Amino acid sequence: MYDFVIIGAGVIGTNIARELSRYQTKAIVLEKENDVANVQSLANSAIIHAGHNPEPGSLKARLNIWGNELYDELEKELDIPLLRSGAYVVAHNESEEKQLEHYLQISLQNKVPGAKIISAEEARITEPNLALSITKVLTLPTTKVTYPWEVAFACMENAMKNGVEFRKNALVTKLEQKDDHYLVTINNKDRIETKNIINATGVATDDIAALLDSSVEFKITPRKGEYFVLDKHMKGFVNHVLYPLPTEAGKGVLLTPQVHGEILVGPNSVFVEDKYRTDVSFEGLAYVKANAGLLAEGVPFHKIIRSFAGIRSTSNYHDFYIQESKEHKGFFHLGGIESPGLSAAPAIAKYLLSDVIGIDSLYPKNETFDPFRKKQPEFHSLSLAEKQHLIEAYPTYGNIICKCEQITEKEIVDAIHAPLGSHTIKGIKKRTRAGAGLCQGGYCEEKVMKLIARETGVSPLSIAYDSDDSSLFEEETKVEE
Ligand SMILES: Cc1cc2nc3c(=O)[nH]c(=O)nc-3n(C[C@H](O)[C@H](O)[C@H](O)COP(=O)(O)OP(=O)(O)OC[C@H]3O[C@@H](n4cnc5c(N)ncnc54)[C@H](O)[C@@H]3O)c2cc1C
């Protein structure tokens, strides 16, 4: 019998798993995908917002500001990357300057450190490509950028180290109450028993809630956001996150420097029917292009290396819905965790456990909890002497597999065999960045595929790109006699 089953391994479920591992509980995370952070937590802007637009007094505001602070702790304990970029919200004319003043007041009410309005001339000292039409900016120095997938990965890895179990390819298909506990059916066949269920399923939270509850207080209406990625050689084109003024549809099309040097351009905001369809459209990307031009002069669209889309879990509740079910004790929902969900994730986990569950009065502390997780060294970022030293100890550090990102055979093999390792091309890309550079895997994907096949002892024909049914090949066409 588990104390807690957490459904969903995005940034929310994995942060909760790590917080739970501070206590003596038996807990498991169930994820329908073959990896952590494959849905919203994979495809977003990666910004740890300062908190200039959530409604003062809302949970979104409170947990955004607290979460932003907690990222400094995560950086130290879990070795996650943080780019302390700061942000500028821009205004182009008098009417927009009035709105900027309004967002300054919201920032002050939300206690956003260092928020103030400065002239465009002053902003251009550090941001020379700022659009010439911009007249004033709201500066938000505590805005940061992270690598969202790694946040989830690091939290899950640390939670596992502290005793939490993880099961991938585990689609929860049925929930039942039996006496004082619950039965959770996985993939329509396996059943596990638990005292509590935490529903952290992002866009599916209303569907999962409805597996047990007869009435659900929030409904998810999925909203797509599309992006371009500019090659990392454009690093420095913008140094801050550049936001337009927020609208009903969200924070708008942004320019966001990323931790590895790329620049994200987007997202737009379009309500869609399908919660999981992440294709991009010509119209969507054209909108993104047109609006990016309002933030900076000469956005280098000739340096686009890819486009992608993510689906927001927007809800009609208009705030984070973090509550115990009214009908089922021990069934907890994290609904409507759209932006600033990534920013707030570590605070959401703490809030759920302390304020909603009251964990301190239920379970003793895990005295052996180890908050630290150390990332494998990134070979390309080491000094020549360090590289030589490593190659002497492990010669496969000397074999570069991904030329764009300078990722070695040793790093890829480690990612295949790690406790939270992966046997798919995309899983290796997420862990090592092999295939994330200029050629987008054109050169190295085949080499990564052969390494996975060699290390796992399976035929290259069975290696998947991403989901288990996304195999790269149908059959061999040239077979040696
Ligand atoms: C376009 C876009 C831009 C954004 N930009 C930002 C930003 O810059 N800053 C910010 O703070 N926030 C941002 N967000 C919001 C942020 O990404 C989300 O709030 C956050 O990722 C939500 O995490 P989650 O764990 O709730 O959801 P998810 O990451 O979607 O995780 C839910 C998990 O549940 C799993 N699941 C679903 N159903 C089942 C089932 N039946 N059984 C088992 N598993 C199941 C899914 O496979 C998934 O892995 C953005 C979101 C989008 C889409």
Side-chain angles (χ1 to χ4, degrees):
M1 166 87 73
Y2 287 96
D3 295 306
F4 289 91
V5 164
I6 302 170
I7 316 176
V11 286
I12 302 302
T14 54
N15 265 281
I16 294 169
R18 178 171 186 252
E19 280 306 308
L20 259 186
S21 71
R22 294 178 190 270
Y23 297 85
Q24 291 178 36
T25 63
K26 184 171 161 58
I28 186 168
V29 178
L30 301 177
E31 170 53 54
K32 72 173 169 56
E33 301 277 308
N34 61 5
D35 205 353
V36 302
N38 246 11
V39 189
Q40 273 182 103
S41 302
L42 180 70
N44 57 61
S45 304
I47 304 167
I48 309 306
H49 299 291
H52 70 288
N53 78 325
E55 185 73 22
S58 64
L59 259 191
K60 274 189 183 172
R62 182 176 149 201
L63 300 178
N64 181 164
I65 314 299
W66 185 18
N68 182 300
E69 289 165 16
L70 287 172
Y71 268 92
D72 294 339
E73 211 171 287
L74 290 195
E75 182 191 35
K76 283 192 207 108
E77 293 182 345
L78 300 180
D79 213 3
I80 57 155
L82 275 189
L83 177 69
R84 290 182 171 76
S85 60
Y88 290 157
V89 188
V90 309
H92 295 85
N93 50 47
E94 260 181 49
S95 133
E96 287 194 358
E97 284 174 18
K98 279 196 189 119
Q99 291 181 59
L100 208 58
E101 181 61 40
H102 168 72
Y103 286 104
L104 172 63
Q105 292 312 319
I106 290 189
S107 305
L108 296 177
Q109 286 180 59
N110 286 342
K111 299 197 167 46
V112 174
K116 63 176 181 181
I117 291 178
I118 60 172
S119 69
E121 290 69 38
E122 192 180 344
R124 282 198 185 92
I125 297 171
T126 50
E127 211 56 86
N129 293 316
L130 213 57
L132 295 171
S133 52
I134 291 170
T135 52
K136 283 201 171 153
V137 312
L138 168 61
T139 170
L140 303 164
T142 54
T143 307
K144 305 158 197 164
V145 181
T146 188
Y147 195 42
W149 180 79
E150 200 164 338
V151 175
F153 179 79
C155 286
M156 196 62 244
E157 209 178 49
N158 188 241
M160 287 164 74
K161 184 178 178 186
N162 289 300
V164 177
E165 298 169 37
F166 174 62
R167 185 165 162 190
K168 60 185 179 181
N169 295 320
L171 174 73
V172 171
T173 47
K174 194 172 179 185
L175 299 174
E176 296 159 274
Q177 184 161 31
K178 190 175 176 232
D179 307 324
D180 62 346
H181 64 277
Y182 297 100
L183 300 177
V184 178
T185 305
I186 302 166
N187 299 330
N188 289 314
K189 53 179 202 295
D190 307 341
R191 258 186 178 181
I192 57 174
E193 297 189 336
T194 180
K195 293 178 192 156
N196 299 282
I197 299 170
I198 297 177
N199 170 15
T201 52
V203 289
T205 38
D206 52 350
D207 302 327
I208 292 290
L211 291 180
L212 267 178
D213 291 348
S214 60
S215 126
V216 180
E217 285 185 316
F218 61 93
K219 180 171 167 42
I220 304 293
T221 40
R223 220 164 28 104
K224 188 187 280 189
E226 295 162 271
Y227 294 88
F228 288 113
V229 183
L230 304 182
D231 179 40
K232 66 178 180 187
H233 294 104
M234 289 301 96
K235 185 175 177 178
F237 174 73
V238 290
N239 302 301
H240 295 73
V241 175
L242 297 187
Y243 297 100
L245 285 157
T247 65
E248 285 281 290
K251 294 183 189 71
V253 171
L254 325 172
L255 287 174
T256 309
Q258 297 290 290
V259 292
H260 296 104
E262 300 94 340
I263 295 171
L264 284 194
V265 190
N268 61 345
S269 174
V270 183
F271 282 106
V272 287
E273 294 286 317
D274 193 323
K275 291 182 167 179
Y276 293 103
R277 210 176 132 175
T278 53
D279 50 343
V280 293
S281 65
F282 177 78
E283 300 76 31
L285 292 176
Y287 176 89
V288 167
K289 258 190 184 177
N291 281 273
L294 301 173
L295 299 169
E297 294 296 320
V299 179
F301 288 115
H302 60 294
K303 295 291 181 185
I304 290 170
I305 55 170
R306 72 176 286 131
S307 56
F308 69 92
I311 307 283
R312 304 171 180 89
S313 53
T314 305
S315 95
N316 57 355
Y317 188 73
H318 303 303
D319 198 357
F320 293 154
Y321 185 94
I322 306 176
Q323 297 188 24
E324 186 170 20
S325 153
K326 305 277 186 298
E327 300 169 40
H328 296 93
K329 207 170 154 19
F331 186 24
F332 300 95
H333 304 307
L334 292 113
I337 312 289
E338 58 176 338
S339 184
L342 170 68
S343 318
I348 288 176
K350 286 188 189 291
Y351 172 79
L352 173 76
L353 294 201
S354 63
D355 293 40
V356 183
I357 298 180
I359 192 94
D360 281 310
S361 60
L362 299 175
Y363 295 93
K365 283 258 162 66
N366 173 6
E367 301 303 340
T368 60
F369 175 76
D370 176 0
F372 295 103
R373 168 254 182 193
K374 192 86 196 115
K375 201 163 57 177
Q376 293 287 344
E378 284 176 355
F379 186 78
H380 69 90
S381 64
L382 302 177
S383 69
L384 200 57
E386 287 169 324
K387 283 180 178 167
Q388 272 169 348
H389 180 72
L390 273 183
I391 291 172
E392 274 162 27
Y394 306 98
T396 50
Y397 270 122
N399 183 17
I400 301 283
I401 299 294
C402 168
K403 287 192 174 172
C404 302
E405 298 295 302
Q406 297 283 294
I407 310 299
T408 65
E409 177 179 339
K410 172 80 168 78
E411 290 166 285
I412 291 169
V413 170
D414 284 351
I416 295 168
H417 293 299
L420 200 50
S422 175
H423 300 170
T424 69
I425 305 286
K426 188 157 171 198
I428 296 302
K429 177 179 173 183
K430 283 158 75 180
R431 283 159 179 79
T432 63
R433 291 187 50 77
L438 182 61
C439 87
Q440 287 291 295
Y443 173 80
C444 68
E445 255 171 26
E446 178 226 349
K447 292 177 191 299
V448 172
M449 184 256 307
K450 284 183 176 158
L451 284 177
I452 299 172
R454 183 188 83 192
E455 294 298 310
T456 57
V458 300
S459 156
L461 293 185
S462 66
I463 307 295
Y465 177 76
D466 183 8
S467 59
D468 288 351
D469 59 359
S470 60
S471 57
L472 291 162
F473 304 104
E474 297 226 321
E475 59 182 302
E476 275 186 81
T477 52
K478 287 185 185 171
V479 184
E480 278 179 32
E481 291 299 319

